[in-house]
């Protein structure tokens, strides 16, 4: 696991010599980058919650993880 702090001015983390975009809500926060089952992908976590995926094979910035409604979400 690799820990990176998100810039306070822009929502990016540095990883593998590139800047990767993350959701704006995580500016200034520390995020964990963990390898996934797919060798070309890394998962980005805030605490125990996966928030995004870095896909090195496609060169895509950050693929967002689909949101799942929680039992605490209205409607």
């Amino acid at each position: 696991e690799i820990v990176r702090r998100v810039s306070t001015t822009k929502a990016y983390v540095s990883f593998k010599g590139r800047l990767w975009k993350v959701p704006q809500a995580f500016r200034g926060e520390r995020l964990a980058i963990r390898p996934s089952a797919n060798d070309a992908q890394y998962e980005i976590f805030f605490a125990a919650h996966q928030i995004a995926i870095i896909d090195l094979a496609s060169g895509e910035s950050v693929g967002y993880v689909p949101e799942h409604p929680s039992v605490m979400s209205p409607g």
Side-chain angles (χ1 to χ4, degrees):
E1 165 171 308
I2 300 161
V3 177
R4 294 284 192 266
R5 183 174 300 276
V6 180
S7 168
T8 56
T9 57
K10 295 185 179 181
Y12 288 90
V13 292
S14 175
F15 180 68
K16 298 274 184 179
R18 287 189 57 189
L19 291 176
W20 302 89
K21 187 161 180 52
V22 296
Q24 293 284 331
F26 298 100
R27 288 187 304 179
E29 298 292 343
R30 291 167 40 124
L31 301 177
I33 302 172
R34 301 175 183 152
S36 72
N38 179 334
D39 289 340
Q41 292 184 342
Y42 289 82
E43 300 166 336
I44 301 177
F45 286 82
F46 178 72
H49 303 283
Q50 184 180 357
I51 61 164
I53 297 171
I54 293 173
D55 190 343
L56 298 175
S58 70
E60 296 281 323
S61 190
V62 173
Y64 293 94
V65 176
E67 291 187 29
H68 301 284
S70 81
V71 293
M72 297 183 72
S73 296

